[in-house]
Amino acid sequence: MDKDYIISLDQGTTSSRAILFDIKKKCIIGMKNKPFAQIYPKPGYVEHNPEEIWEGQLEVMKAVIEEAGISYDDIASIGIANQRETVVVWDRNTGKPIYNAIVWQCRRTADICERLKKERLEDIIKEKTGLVVDAYFSGTKIQWILDNVGGAKEKAQRNELMAGTIDSWLIWKLTGGKVHVTDYTNASRTMLFNIKSLKWDEELLEYMNIPISMMPSVVSSSGRIAYTDESVVGGKIPISGVAGDQQASLFGQACFDVGCAKNTYGTGCFILMNIGDKPVSSKNNLITTIAWVIGDEVKYALEGSVFNAGSTIQWIRDEMGLIKASAESRIEAEKVKDTNGVYLVPAFTGLGAPYWDMYARGAVLGITRGTKREHLIRAALESIAYQSMDILEVMKLDSGIDLKELKVDGGASANDFLMQFQADMLNINIKRPIITETTALGAAYLAGLGEGVWKSKEELSKDWSLDKLFAPKMESREREEKYSGWKKAVSKSLAWEEP
Ligand code: ADP
């Protein structure tokens, strides 16, 4: 391989980024970022303009190449990691979207989901797709567009429309409208894809009135998919890696073995655990998802998320004014030896797995006259670790796999106090890598593997390098006392709002 670079396109919820990865030096040498508009037409509705996403993505890609002073011929491959579940429906003939992209956060199809539940389709959907019935996933969003955009249904019947998650949309644009595909990880987030047969599920497509002709072909997460169109992009580069952002991050963390898990500590937390080649069904409303498909290797993951993690730190910073910057939380938390019995349950938007109570609300418990500001700050950080632990505990139960270590990334993983407390509570080693841009790295890994830049995953494992290891130090009695206090605090926050 005589080419020196890989480009990752990290198309996120609030911005599109292009990252230039130096193959020989094994590091990131350039990065460009372009935010785009968040459109909120009504409470609970969230949209993006697909053309703005595409134009921004193309712009940062060109800019990162130009700034590095390299030529298109030096680029071995493009890898894509994208915000998941967000969908676009566009016209096959004009190439124009018929509606804005409906974003994963958008709740507009909650009533369609209620109907699916009333029709007792929950178990079937879970069995086939590994997902819980929720407006979060793409299927009902496509259905909504067909039902609500004038003439869409008829056009779909006449095979004039195409649907796809953001990876599909970008690949279609990058190839000058020649290739309509998605990868298995993205397909597994649509609620239309059977994760066992690895095919679009005709029965589910029918329930949601979506013609199969609209759906993209499903391709491996790694391997040559197509070439970019020179007249659009400026060069002919192979696209050889695609995955949803959280799966890309699992891959970028080199979680290649069964039982290997990662937690991304951002606004919320995203926890994924590699469960191997059999899709375990969760008894605790975790999601079963495709981790990657490479050639004939299919790997599954269990996934759980914490709604409010870093956002809790934003809350104590911006609404409570207890700190000026997120990073200060560590300094303040370490000024006291514990929280003095205080627990903060950040159930701002209800609680997800394993409680699943949308009527839970935030609470601070155990306050006494001696409670200080530092205790509250410490309790806020600890709440992130407790919530992650809640999910990892049920993951262990569902999978029957004992967690041996946890790899971490995301903004709040920079907080050493939080990472040490997490190691203490889980009683396992926590490993933070040097490169915490794991989403972009995962896309680069998939793309590089797909072009033979690297021969195997084992080769990539060797490149994963540790920044810091946090080993557990806490006595088991203290750990149990603290965790049972957390459970008690959570129990007080449940069912607070009236339905
Ligand atoms: P996202 O991708 O979800 O926007 P990031 O991975 O950029 O999130 O992380 C940002 C979040 O992490 C913010 O909510 C911020 O409050 C929190 N955060 C960042 N640095 C720290 C820190 N040192 N300690 C605690 N929280 C932090």
Side-chain angles (χ1 to χ4, degrees):
M1 173 63 61
D2 54 349
K3 301 192 189 247
D4 294 326
Y5 308 100
I6 292 176
I7 288 197
S8 292
L9 305 182
D10 180 2
Q11 204 302 305
T13 308
T14 55
S15 73
S16 304
R17 302 192 309 157
I19 292 109
L20 187 63
F21 192 80
D22 186 312
I23 296 170
K24 292 203 182 81
K25 295 195 191 122
K26 292 180 174 147
C27 64
I28 292 168
I29 57 159
M31 193 176 323
K32 285 272 167 198
N33 183 45
K34 175 118 186 172
F36 51 85
Q38 305 292 311
I39 305 164
Y40 304 109
K42 277 191 202 182
Y45 280 43
V46 191
E47 297 176 1
H48 293 154
N49 177 345
E51 298 285 12
E52 190 187 355
I53 288 185
W54 158 243
E55 282 157 19
Q57 189 67 74
L58 183 65
E59 184 184 318
V60 288
M61 181 175 132
K62 287 182 167 173
V64 88
I65 293 171
E66 194 169 314
E67 196 161 278
I70 62 168
S71 115
Y72 285 89
D73 292 335
D74 298 330
I75 301 165
S77 177
I78 293 176
I80 298 174
N82 58 286
Q83 56 167 320
R84 303 179 301 172
E85 297 101 10
T86 301
V87 285
V88 185
V89 175
W90 66 98
D91 188 303
R92 193 181 289 278
N93 302 315
T94 66
K96 298 272 175 258
I98 63 163
Y99 194 78
N100 273 337
I102 301 188
V103 179
W104 58 273
Q105 296 149 322
C106 186
R107 304 304 303 168
R108 82 182 65 197
T109 58
D111 58 335
I112 303 183
C113 291
E114 284 311 315
R115 250 180 281 142
L116 291 171
K117 286 184 194 167
K118 276 209 190 90
E119 288 166 27
R120 298 180 185 276
L121 294 173
E122 256 181 312
D123 289 346
I124 296 175
I125 290 177
K126 184 161 186 212
E127 167 73 21
K128 289 176 182 242
T129 68
L131 305 175
V132 293
V133 174
D134 196 276
Y136 190 77
F137 304 107
S138 326
T140 58
K141 299 181 196 287
I142 302 176
Q143 181 180 1
W144 189 94
I145 292 177
L146 295 183
D147 287 346
N148 289 277
V149 175
K153 225 181 254 168
E154 296 70 25
K155 274 188 161 177
Q157 292 305 338
R158 291 198 303 266
N159 193 17
E160 288 170 15
L161 295 182
M162 297 171 127
T165 39
I166 295 294
D167 54 317
S168 292
W169 171 243
L170 290 181
I171 294 171
W172 195 79
K173 287 299 235 179
L174 285 165
T175 58
K178 286 189 202 72
V179 179
H180 185 215
V181 294
T182 189
D183 93 299
Y184 287 97
T185 68
N186 277 293
S188 76
R189 316 298 298 186
T190 57
M191 222 161 83
L192 299 168
F193 191 73
N194 189 316
I195 61 168
K196 293 173 186 158
S197 69
L198 300 179
K199 290 194 166 69
W200 294 118
D201 192 281
E202 300 207 12
E203 192 184 0
L204 295 181
L205 284 161
E206 204 163 299
Y207 284 136
M208 288 174 235
N209 296 319
I210 301 170
I212 195 167
S213 60
M214 288 180 76
M215 302 308 290
S217 311
V218 187
V219 297
S220 284
S221 321
S222 178
R224 189 172 300 172
I225 295 164
Y227 282 99
T228 57
D229 183 313
E230 203 164 347
S231 67
V232 177
V233 174
K236 195 174 164 212
I237 312 170
I239 304 168
S240 318
V242 182
D245 52 10
Q246 297 306 321
Q247 281 93 332
S249 148
L250 187 72
F251 205 81
Q253 284 278 23
C255 286
F256 301 141
D257 298 324
V258 174
C260 187
K262 70 95 194 178
N263 191 3
T264 300
Y265 296 82
T267 310
C269 284
F270 279 99
I271 305 170
L272 272 78
M273 182 202 249
N274 180 332
I275 54 168
D277 45 22
K278 298 256 154 18
V280 172
S281 176
S282 170
K283 293 188 176 60
N284 295 287
N285 280 324
L286 297 175
I287 288 163
T288 311
T289 199
I290 295 180
W292 62 81
V293 175
I294 302 178
D296 47 20
E297 176 186 275
V298 185
K299 294 289 178 203
Y300 295 91
L302 275 176
E303 173 176 326
S305 51
V306 170
F307 300 156
N308 288 289
S311 56
T312 314
I313 306 307
Q314 289 168 352
W315 179 71
I316 61 165
R317 184 190 65 196
D318 303 339
E319 269 67 46
M320 296 297 104
L322 298 180
I323 46 174
K324 289 202 181 64
S326 296
E328 262 177 45
S329 59
R330 172 189 173 187
I331 303 159
E332 299 306 307
E334 286 177 341
K335 284 185 184 159
V336 285
K337 69 177 199 330
D338 54 31
T339 66
N340 202 13
V342 173
Y343 287 90
L344 192 162
V345 185
F348 303 133
T349 49
L351 286 172
Y355 308 105
W356 292 106
D357 183 349
M358 58 178 163
Y359 303 109
R361 284 299 175 269
V364 183
L365 295 117
I367 303 173
T368 60
R369 186 64 187 78
T371 299
K372 291 188 165 62
R373 172 178 154 268
E374 292 83 356
H375 293 131
L376 265 177
I377 296 168
R378 189 168 172 129
L381 283 171
E382 291 188 358
S383 76
I384 301 174
Y386 287 131
Q387 292 181 95
S388 298
M389 177 158 171
D390 285 340
I391 288 183
L392 282 158
E393 288 298 308
V394 294
M395 254 180 204
K396 286 198 269 184
L397 285 178
D398 281 339
S399 64
I401 298 168
D402 210 14
L403 191 68
K404 289 186 189 63
E405 59 179 35
L406 180 69
K407 290 178 169 171
V408 298
D409 51 60
S413 73
N415 190 307
D416 284 9
F417 167 78
L418 171 59
M419 294 300 105
Q420 182 58 48
F421 188 74
Q422 186 76 83
D424 285 338
M425 288 313 297
L426 291 170
N427 201 25
I428 55 169
N429 287 338
I430 301 268
K431 291 182 173 173
R432 186 172 63 202
I434 292 173
I435 302 182
T436 52
E437 294 287 347
T438 57
T439 305
L441 191 63
Y445 280 177
L446 288 165
L449 271 181
E451 286 298 320
V453 169
W454 297 291
K455 296 284 167 282
S456 66
K457 296 204 291 300
E458 288 65 39
E459 202 180 330
L460 295 172
S461 289
K462 288 197 206 105
D463 289 341
W464 187 94
S465 16
L466 183 75
D467 164 45
K468 193 159 178 183
L469 183 136
F470 300 87
K473 289 194 247 175
M474 195 182 274
E475 295 288 333
S476 62
R477 219 181 97 202
E478 189 183 349
R479 173 166 48 246
E480 281 153 25
E481 271 172 24
K482 281 194 156 59
Y483 194 51
S484 81
W486 165 254
K487 288 286 192 189
K488 192 166 156 191
V490 168
S491 73
K492 308 282 177 194
S493 78
L494 297 176
W496 180 259
E497 281 276 287
E498 301 295 332

